[in-house]
């Protein structure tokens, strides 16, 4: 280190800078935020608030403590750098200035010096009784420059700090700040007795470029005896870092056909060393290019900025689509001997431009289409294009330049194959056009690049043949309008509705006609000539007629392959005739039995329209005479009239008043309508007060219908109840299968529809079926519970005993033998012998029914006892016990 010098002079206390020009020696490389020097400002009044400023604020900044810092990093020139430092009192706005001159120190100045320099604390003014004492100015300590990556030995002594008062006092020295007592701690240490400042390990500029320490001197009691001084230690950069590219692979693009000097991309590398020194100054160059076609030097690079540009013509994507460059960055300004290097890869893609137009693969294309078909692709137009697929320079656009004046075709582009799809968009009639010859052109979505010698488009011819197909017949006109008066009788010829077949070049028979829609079923059509006749009377007032119009649809069919048909609509506009007489509306009305108020407003309704409708004439008939005697009618408008009482009082009740209404048609149509008038007692407001009594005296049609409906519903309910009761009785009898023997009577009705029973039916004695007459008495079931339909065990002396049949082996043989015996027995009753299974028992106390065979035989007998037998024998009692009647 160079010796640190300062000058001083005697002066009295005066506020301001102690000198007009302040000189300092600093390192040539200045870093942003680096402290450079400390300016001394003397204030006789310690309470002044001073603000420091710089005339070069973009380069230098002065802190509140008077330390000058570098605002940015830069290199000092060989000539001294000068600027002005100002101080301003914030309260009085008084300002002082001082010029500062910075001189760069020689490179590595003091690096070879082995002598340890002393840094002496400045004198300090003490408060003594004498007002005048000598004062020593502050030292301006230049920065200490220390190379990074030093190999030691450590600790390595830097400077010695001492105070002039160490001769009279025992002092202790210390340093504070980052690197000493603040992180990173322990880098710098000081001997507290001798003040020797040392560094303990190698420094790394890339981690910390400078250290700002403060030295202190205190006595043994810890009292400060000197003002602290600032020590700046700058770490000198060494070339210990290689350049590093921001990306190992760089991607760029350049259009094909670019001229020399076209910018491509920029590659960037960084060096952790000082960028303002040679250690951090990088230079770029291209080591290799692959492929080397058409030239090995298609690109160059700016050695300072890393900009890559083209230097040769001939970039053609169709030949070379991509170039790979190896880029090298070297520090020490590219010095190959001392500089450190690194490499990266630059991949340059040659982008496509439209330098190749589309070209048709054939001069003529062919296609065919059936007539009347739309949205059908009839031909595929194929092209070739050498440009990059699926780009605007490759995508083809097709247009027709001739042969389609009516716009029946369009050409769409297939996005995948780039083919042109000729499509029909309007129906084509074979009978009008049998062939089309189209002229088409193809071009790209973007125009060709400048300087291309090829034509911008390619042309071709498309020949399209139209195929004849069987077309549907069509009615002419459709719809067809016919005006006809209503009332046309059935069987009358209405009109002829025929169709035409557009297939003039096909051999087929005539058309056949049929009816498709006829809502009222009024019409029929001749299947050969299309003549339409009526099958019913045409009525304009029909519900199928809307706004006087009746619509019917007919079908015309040919015998082509395949058969085709067409529809036509016949619209019949029906003209009105006076075929409907007017009617009164409403049909019922109410009035009071007194003369006032008793007016009834009525309206005439006629389904016909003008001139066969209103105005209407209203009058009362001559018979019966009571009508005109009790009532009077007055027309109040063309469609309305007013009915009122002629007499002062008419007894309450319901009266049928006939009214004759005549329309204005030619000839006139009239009818007699009955108006049902309810005459009632009214209050002062004209409202009926005895409506219930009148309704009871005479019911209207609606009331009668409602009563009948109620009666019918009631009868249905009664019938359903009776049916339910009978069904319940049948179910109850069906469940009563077992009875006690004492309850067994001869007139019980036996049920034979039982196919299964309870436990008693599980063990059958088949011998009883084989020979029912020879069953031994001891073999019969004991007295107990038996089925109702079980054969009784009583003797049967009344009936002749039939000879026993042989003993067959099964029931079927037994039945057949019994049937044969019955057929051959002349004494057999007139019923089949199989009725033995329906046998109800013998020994009945009732006599033969033949005793009732005639009324004459019992004429003298008294049958009055039948009345005592209960309601079941009431009919017999009425027949035989009724006396002479």
């Amino acid at each position: 280190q160079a010796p640190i010098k300062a000058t001083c002079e005697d002066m009295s206390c005066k506020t301001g800078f102690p000198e007009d020009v302040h000189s300092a020696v600093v390192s040539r490389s200045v870093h942003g935020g680096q402290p450079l020097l400390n300016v001394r400002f003397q204030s006789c009044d310690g309470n002044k608030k001073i603000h420091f400023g710089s005339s070069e604020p973009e380069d230098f900044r002065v802190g509140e403590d008077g330390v000058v810092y570098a605002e940015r990093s830069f290199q000092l020139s060989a000539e001294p750098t000068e600027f002005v430092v100002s101080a301003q009192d914030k309260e009085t706005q008084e300002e002082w200035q001082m010029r500062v001159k910075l001189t760069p120190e020689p490179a590595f100045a003091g690096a070879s010096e082995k002598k340890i320099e002393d840094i002496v604390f400045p004198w300090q003014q003490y408060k003594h009784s004498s007002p005048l004492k000598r004062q020593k100015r502050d030292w301006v300590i230049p920065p200490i420059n220390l190379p990074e990556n030093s190999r030691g030995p450590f600790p390595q002594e830097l400077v010695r700090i001492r105070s002039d008062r160490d001769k009279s006092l025992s002092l202790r020295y210390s340093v504070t700040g980052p690197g000493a007592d603040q992180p990173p701690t322990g880098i710098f240490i000081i001997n507290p007795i001798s003040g020797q400042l040392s560094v303990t390990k190698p420094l790394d500029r890339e981690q910390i470029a400078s250290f700002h320490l403060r030295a202190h001197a205190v006595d043994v009691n810890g009292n400060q005896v000197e003002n602290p001084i600032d020590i700046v230690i700058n770490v000198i950069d060494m070339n210990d870092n290689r350049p590093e590219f921001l990306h190992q692979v760089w991607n760029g693009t350049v259009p094909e056909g670019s001229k020399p000097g076209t910018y491509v991309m920029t590659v960037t590398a960084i060096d952790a060393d000082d960028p303002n020194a040679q250690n951090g100054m990088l230079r770029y160059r291209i080591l290799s290019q692959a492929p080397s076609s058409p030239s090995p030097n298609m690109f160059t690079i700016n050695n300072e900025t890393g900009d890559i540009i083209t230097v040769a013509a001939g970039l053609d994507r169709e030949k070379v689509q991509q170039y790979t460059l190896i880029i090298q960055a070297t520090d020490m300004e590219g010095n190959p001997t001392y500089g450190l290097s690194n490499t990266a890869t630059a991949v340059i893609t040659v982008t496509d431009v439209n330098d190749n137009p589309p070209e048709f693969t054939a001069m003529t294309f062919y296609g065919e289409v059936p007539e009347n078909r739309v949205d059908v692709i009839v031909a595929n137009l194929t092209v070739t294009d050498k440009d990059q697929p699926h780009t605007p320079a490759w995508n083809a656009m097709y247009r027709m330049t001739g042969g389609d004046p009516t716009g029946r075709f369009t050409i769409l582009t297939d996005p995948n194959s780039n083919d042109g799809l000729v499509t029909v968009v309007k129906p084509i009639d074979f009978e009008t056009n049998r062939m089309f010859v189209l002229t088409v052109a193809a071009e790209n979505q973007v125009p060709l690049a400048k300087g291309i010698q090829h034509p911008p488009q390619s042309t071709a011819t498309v020949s399209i043949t139209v195929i004849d197909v069987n077309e549907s017949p069509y009615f002419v006109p459709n719809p067809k309008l016919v005006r006809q008066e209503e009332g046309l009788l059935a069987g009358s010829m209405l009109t002829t509705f025929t169709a035409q077949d557009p297939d003039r070049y096909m051999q087929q028979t005539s058309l056949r006609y049929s009816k498709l829609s006829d809502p009222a079923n009024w019409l029929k059509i001749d299947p050969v000539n299309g003549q339409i006749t009526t099958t019913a009377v045409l009525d304009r007032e029909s519900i199928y007629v809307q706004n006087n119009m009746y619509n019917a649809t007919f079908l015309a069919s040919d015998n082509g392959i395949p058969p085709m048909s067409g529809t036509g609509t016949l619209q019949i506009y029906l003209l009105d005739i006076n075929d409907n007489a007017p009617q009164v509306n409403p049909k019922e009305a109410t009035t009071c039995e007194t003369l006032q108020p008793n007016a009834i407003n009525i309206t005439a309704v006629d389904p016909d329209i003008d001139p066969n409708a209103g105005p209407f004439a209203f009058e009362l008939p001559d018979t019966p005479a009571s009508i005109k005697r009790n009532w009077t009618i007055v027309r109040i408008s063309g469609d309305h009239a007013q009915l009122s009482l002629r007499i002062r009082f008419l007894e309450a009740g319901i009266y049928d008043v006939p009214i004759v209404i005549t329309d204005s048609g030619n000839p006139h149509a009239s009818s007699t309508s009955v108006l049902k008038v309810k005459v009632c007692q009214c209050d002062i407001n004209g409202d009926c007060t005895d409506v219930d009594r009148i309704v009871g005296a005479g019911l209207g049609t609606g009331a009668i219908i409602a009563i009948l409906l109620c009666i019918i519903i009631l009868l249905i309910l009664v019938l359903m109840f009776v049916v339910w009761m009978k069904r319940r009785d049948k179910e109850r009898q069906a469940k009563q299968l077992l009875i006690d023997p004492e309850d067994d009577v001869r007139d019980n009705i036996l049920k034979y529809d039982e196919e299964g029973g309870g436990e008693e039916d599980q063990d059958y004695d088949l011998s009883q079926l084989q020979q029912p007459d020879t069953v031994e008495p001891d073999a019969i079931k004991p007295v107990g519970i038996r089925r109702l339909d079980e054969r009784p065990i009583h003797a049967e002396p009344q009936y002749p005993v039939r000879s026993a049949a042989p003993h067959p082996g099964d029931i079927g043989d037994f039945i057949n033998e019994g049937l044969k015996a019955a057929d051959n027995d002349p004494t057999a009753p007139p019923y089949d012998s199989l009725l033995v299974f329906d046998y109800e028992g013998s020994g009945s106390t009732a006599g033969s029914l033949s005793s009732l065979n005639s009324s004459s035989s019992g004429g003298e007998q008294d049958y009055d006892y039948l009345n005592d037998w209960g309601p079941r024998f009431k009919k017999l009692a009425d027949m035989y016990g009724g006396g002479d009647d």
Side-chain angles (χ1 to χ4, degrees), residues 289-304:
Q289 169 192 311
S292 58
S293 174
S295 170
N297 298 313
M298 296 295 295
F299 305 93
T300 186
I301 188 170
N302 187 306
N303 64 348
E304 293 186 4

Side-chain angles (χ1 to χ4, degrees), residues 753-806:
D753 56 348
E754 283 289 311
E755 298 182 0
E759 296 177 354
E760 298 178 358
D761 290 337
Q762 302 303 316
D763 187 12
Y764 293 106
D765 186 5
L766 297 181
S767 63
Q768 297 185 29
L769 297 177
Q770 295 173 350
Q771 285 183 318
D773 296 332
T774 61
V775 177
E776 295 298 331
D778 56 356
I780 301 175
K781 287 183 180 181
V783 178
I785 303 300
R786 290 182 297 164
R787 292 170 55 94
L788 291 177
D789 53 347
E790 185 177 348
R791 182 176 179 177
I793 61 176
H794 304 289
E796 301 172 330
Q798 293 94 337
Y799 296 93
V801 178
R802 192 175 299 164
S803 61

Side-chain angles (χ1 to χ4, degrees), residues 165-221:
R165 303 191 64 191
D166 60 355
K167 299 177 181 179
S168 59
L169 296 175
S170 177
L171 302 181
R172 297 293 183 268
Y173 301 97
S174 65
V175 291
T176 59
D181 61 341
Q182 299 177 17
T185 60
I187 296 178
F188 299 98
I189 59 175
I190 190 172
N191 189 315
I193 304 299
S194 63
Q196 183 67 47
L197 180 64
S198 305
V199 59
T200 62
K201 61 181 180 179
L203 303 181
D204 189 355
R205 191 203 66 83
E206 285 71 41
Q207 294 184 358
I208 302 177
S210 64
F211 295 89
H212 187 190
L213 305 179
R214 176 161 289 191
H216 307 269
V218 296
D219 57 17
V220 293
N221 296 323

Side-chain angles (χ1 to χ4, degrees), residues 521-532:
N521 200 22
W522 287 346
L523 308 172
K524 69 176 181 178
I525 187 170
D526 189 282
V528 178
N529 57 22
Q531 190 177 65
I532 298 176

Side-chain angles (χ1 to χ4, degrees), residues 541-741:
E541 289 75 32
S542 171
I543 60 174
Y544 302 105
V545 178
Q546 301 294 331
N547 298 324
N548 302 330
M549 192 74 70
Y550 179 76
N551 294 325
T553 306
F554 298 92
L555 188 70
S557 304
D558 61 18
N559 61 344
I561 301 175
M564 301 298 292
S565 61
T567 60
T569 301
L570 178 65
Q571 295 180 332
I572 306 175
Y573 187 87
L574 294 175
L575 304 175
D576 186 39
I577 62 174
N578 195 13
D579 58 345
N580 293 282
Q583 300 291 327
V584 68
N585 186 49
K587 298 293 185 180
E588 298 180 358
T590 303
T591 186
C592 298
E593 58 185 2
T594 59
L595 186 62
Q596 295 293 337
N598 64 347
I600 301 173
N601 293 325
I602 61 175
T603 302
V605 179
D606 194 336
D608 295 327
I609 60 176
D610 290 336
N612 298 319
F616 301 96
F618 301 87
E619 59 180 347
L620 299 176
D622 296 331
T623 58
S626 60
I627 298 300
K628 285 191 173 182
R629 183 175 62 249
N630 296 336
W631 305 93
T632 180
I633 190 169
V634 178
R635 191 178 76 171
I636 58 178
S637 66
D639 298 336
H640 305 281
Q642 199 171 70
L643 179 69
S644 58
L645 287 175
R646 181 184 292 274
I647 59 179
R648 292 182 177 273
F649 177 81
L650 183 63
E651 185 178 357
I654 298 178
Y655 298 87
D656 292 335
V657 181
I659 301 174
V660 179
I661 305 176
T662 305
D663 61 20
S664 299
N666 186 17
H668 300 298
S670 64
S671 66
T672 301
S673 300
V674 177
L675 176 64
K676 188 177 292 294
V677 181
K678 298 178 183 178
V679 180
C680 62
Q681 296 180 2
C682 299
D683 54 16
I684 59 176
N685 297 322
D687 299 327
C688 288
T689 58
D690 57 349
V691 176
D692 296 337
R693 181 173 62 83
I694 295 175
V695 171
L699 297 177
T701 303
I704 294 175
I705 293 175
I707 293 174
L708 291 177
L709 289 176
C710 292
I711 293 174
I712 292 173
I713 293 174
L714 182 61
L715 291 177
I716 292 174
L717 293 177
V718 172
L719 181 61
M720 292 176 61
F721 178 75
V722 172
V723 171
W724 177 77
M725 290 294 294
K726 287 187 176 183
R727 173 174 290 184
R728 191 180 66 172
D729 291 341
K730 289 183 179 180
E731 292 177 354
R732 184 181 304 166
Q733 292 177 4
K735 294 178 181 179
Q736 192 176 6
L737 297 178
L738 301 176
I739 63 173
D740 196 84

